[in-house]
Amino acid sequence: METSTILHNFILDELVKGRKKTIGDDDDLLAEGIIDSLGILQLVAFIEEKFNFTVPDEDVVIENFMSVNALSKYLDQKLATKH
Amino acid sequence: MTRKLLLLNGIAIIFAVYHHAIYWAITAINFWGHRFVSNATPQLLSSPNLFALFLRITDQIGGVAVPAFLFVSGYLYGFSLNRQIIGQSYRFILKRIYYLLIPYFVWSTLTVIFRIIEGENYPLARLIRVYLFGEADGPFYYVPLIVQLIVLSPFLFRAAKKYPLLSIGFVFSFQLLSTITWYFKMLNITPLTPLIFFNIFKSSYLFSHSLWFLMGSLFFIYRENIITMIKPLQRWTWLLLILLFISSQIEFQLLINANGSNWLNTQSSILTKGLYTLLILAYAVFGEKIPSYQKIEYIGANSYGIYLTHVIVIEIAARLLYHIFPYLLGQTVILLAVLVFMGITIPLALMNFSKKFSIKPLYSFMWG
């Protein structure tokens, strides 16, 4: 499964909590209230468990976590370097 | 660090539930003794016997919950507001406040209904206080407090970024001044006329708690500098923690002796506040993963819903135990463990229930 689909599903199933029925890949997750700030911590925990790598603190910035697209782009880059 | 915050949130909510379960342990020992022994006598909590010390020490440690929540919030708002202009910040903030306030109103109302069934009266003035100041039950004060801090967060964050020492100095002074008013109250001192201005700091959670929120934002901005500065001081940090812990316990006894009461809210003393500040800092700098950390992270991720509901849950649990299993009331440690377990698992079960079925669209309005 593609990174963006995995992230999209996790966000929709676990973090949106009924606030929206669908989310776009470019939707601003925080500004549009799709997820709350604790959701960012859950996203980091999910990524670390699912993709088996530690997200460095300096990478936990709004630019990387703004949308599903931004996050999957960041993750794809990281996973490519890892392999 | 990011992962540690979720764990800290989980530890904090367990401590918060424990802190409120203690009330029922004290009630069981002092007022429900006839249910498990025939010649029950109330336990004296004002003298430092083993039972009282156990409750005092664990209650004091459990009190770190709200400072820890505020630290995590401060850090996350630092993350969310970084590089945003004020207008953008408020767009995000309004959404956040919306999902904090609706569950707060729902659970405040349910708590009031529960209390009315128990026979309490709610005249209009009291009802207004319930919703405005979070007086539905003990822990509800946290919601108006965090909402105020969130509203102020774009300014606090900018101040922390531009003037870190000055901003921390300011909020520390506010905390100190509000704590002085607490000592006045504890020692039955009426402030002299020139000191009457202290009263504006009285009972203000914003003044007494904003330090930890700002500390979280500062930790987000200056994480590396703070870690580099504190890491070599590990031994001194532990030593200072032990000193603060012992001295705050001695202070507790002295205040009880001076005040003549049976029990005090230790969280308000300046030594305990210092202890909490250092505990959080030590955790952020030296903290490591602990066993079952994923389960605690899960609890941490659902902390707001647990926080709003646990008081009613543990009250019902304690009253049920009184009727169906009174033997447990005399086993304080087991009683506390049962109440904490129920105070966490029952709200979690309710949350999962509402997530799975057709009431999912209402989930955020119930649990945040």
Side-chain angles (χ1 to χ4, degrees):
Chain A
M1 211 189 284
E2 267 186 46
T3 318
S4 64
T5 317
I6 297 172
L7 290 170
H8 192 279
N9 290 347
F10 175 73
I11 293 169
L12 206 55
D13 292 343
E14 297 297 327
L15 306 182
V16 174
K17 297 171 183 172
R19 287 170 197 148
K20 281 207 167 191
K21 282 184 182 159
T22 55
I23 49 165
D25 284 350
D26 284 313
D27 286 353
D28 191 328
L29 297 173
L30 279 170
E32 290 182 27
I34 297 168
I35 64 171
D36 54 32
S37 42
L38 262 185
I40 298 294
L41 299 184
Q42 286 172 269
L43 258 176
V44 172
F46 172 73
I47 290 165
E48 291 193 348
E49 298 299 326
K50 184 84 186 172
F51 299 98
N52 198 24
F53 88 99
T54 307
V55 180
D57 285 342
E58 58 273 19
D59 288 356
V60 186
V61 287
I62 196 90
E63 292 82 350
N64 291 337
F65 284 77
M66 191 170 266
S67 62
V68 173
N69 263 346
L71 193 51
S72 54
K73 205 170 149 187
Y74 160 75
L75 257 178
D76 286 338
Q77 274 174 2
K78 281 283 165 183
L79 294 172
T81 351
K82 193 184 156 198
H83 298 302
Chain B
M1 179 63 205
T2 318
R3 199 78 191 264
K4 274 202 271 183
L5 291 176
L6 197 53
L7 190 61
L8 181 60
N9 227 42
I11 296 169
I13 188 65
I14 295 170
F15 280 175
V17 177
Y18 178 82
H19 179 66
H20 297 116
I22 282 182
Y23 171 82
W24 292 102
I26 294 174
T27 303
I29 287 291
N30 276 322
F31 305 106
W32 293 350
H34 61 280
R35 294 288 295 157
F36 51 92
V37 278
S38 53
N39 56 344
T41 51
Q43 290 277 325
L44 264 183
L45 294 173
S46 53
S47 65
N49 57 56
L50 201 61
F51 173 72
L53 273 178
F54 165 74
L55 288 183
R56 275 182 207 179
I57 291 170
T58 53
D59 183 50
Q60 185 190 29
I61 295 168
V64 76
V66 166
F69 286 139
L70 293 172
F71 178 82
V72 174
S73 296
Y75 187 99
L76 290 174
Y77 278 86
F79 163 85
S80 309
L81 302 175
N82 198 19
R83 297 181 199 176
Q84 283 190 13
I85 55 166
I86 298 264
Q88 285 173 322
S89 304
Y90 276 102
R91 198 173 142 221
F92 155 70
I93 281 170
L94 284 175
K95 295 261 181 190
R96 187 67 202 117
I97 289 176
Y98 180 72
Y99 286 111
L100 282 173
L101 284 182
I102 291 181
Y104 163 77
F105 284 121
V106 169
W107 287 102
S108 292
T109 306
L110 289 173
T111 307
V112 167
I113 292 170
F114 184 71
R115 298 275 173 249
I116 290 171
I117 294 168
E118 285 185 323
E120 283 194 41
N121 283 322
Y122 282 87
L124 186 64
R126 190 177 175 197
L127 264 184
I128 292 170
R129 290 190 69 85
V130 160
Y131 293 107
L132 215 55
F133 302 116
E135 291 183 3
D137 217 322
F140 279 74
Y141 77 91
Y142 176 75
V143 184
L145 169 67
I146 193 68
V147 168
Q148 290 174 73
L149 285 167
I150 291 172
V151 169
L152 292 173
S153 63
F155 301 100
L156 286 173
F157 180 69
R158 276 162 184 78
K161 212 169 180 180
K162 223 169 177 183
Y163 311 105
L165 290 177
L166 195 65
S167 55
I168 201 88
F170 255 113
V171 289
F172 176 72
S173 312
F174 289 149
Q175 185 176 78
L176 195 64
L177 290 168
S178 82
T179 310
I180 290 172
T181 63
W182 180 78
Y183 282 99
F184 283 159
K185 196 174 134 196
M186 284 302 111
L187 300 169
N188 299 319
I189 297 170
T190 312
L192 299 169
T193 317
L195 296 176
I196 213 84
F197 77 94
F198 271 66
N199 283 335
I200 61 163
F201 296 99
K202 206 170 158 181
S203 312
S204 164
Y205 288 113
L206 184 66
F207 287 133
S208 61
H209 286 65
S210 52
L211 175 77
W212 296 301
F213 186 86
L214 190 80
M215 212 170 93
S217 295
L218 278 168
F219 206 87
F220 171 77
I221 305 165
Y222 300 103
R223 190 174 48 234
E224 281 168 28
N225 306 41
I226 296 171
I227 292 174
T228 316
M229 197 170 75
I230 298 181
K231 204 115 202 189
L233 305 173
Q234 190 165 6
R235 276 188 188 176
W236 289 105
T237 308
W238 292 124
L239 186 70
L240 194 55
L241 274 173
I242 293 166
L243 279 176
L244 276 170
F245 172 70
I246 295 170
S247 54
S248 58
Q249 283 299 323
I250 295 169
E251 185 196 33
F252 184 94
Q253 189 61 46
L254 291 174
L255 283 171
I256 272 192
N257 294 347
N259 180 276
S261 57
N262 204 19
W263 186 261
L264 288 177
N265 179 8
T266 50
Q267 297 162 315
S268 303
S269 113
I270 194 67
L271 291 173
T272 305
K273 282 177 176 157
L275 178 73
Y276 293 160
T277 304
L278 199 60
L279 260 178
I280 294 168
L281 214 52
Y283 173 84
V285 176
F286 307 113
E288 299 287 344
K289 278 183 183 170
I290 55 168
S292 304
Y293 73 96
Q294 281 169 317
K295 286 192 184 88
I296 300 174
E297 281 182 343
Y298 174 72
I299 293 170
N302 294 290
S303 56
Y304 189 60
I306 299 173
Y307 191 84
L308 290 176
T309 46
H310 75 276
V311 174
I312 290 186
V313 171
I314 54 179
E315 178 167 347
I316 293 171
R319 290 188 188 282
L320 277 176
L321 290 173
Y322 174 92
H323 291 290
I324 59 172
F325 206 6
Y327 169 76
L328 265 190
L329 302 173
Q331 310 299 315
T332 303
V333 177
I334 304 172
L335 175 68
L336 283 167
V338 170
L339 293 179
V340 170
F341 179 76
M342 292 175 119
I344 288 172
T345 53
I346 292 173
L348 278 178
L350 290 171
M351 280 184 233
N352 276 324
F353 180 80
S354 48
K355 210 187 248 178
K356 279 185 182 142
F357 295 95
S358 54
I359 36 178
K360 190 172 179 179
L362 295 177
Y363 185 95
S364 290
F365 297 136
M366 289 292 289
W367 314 104

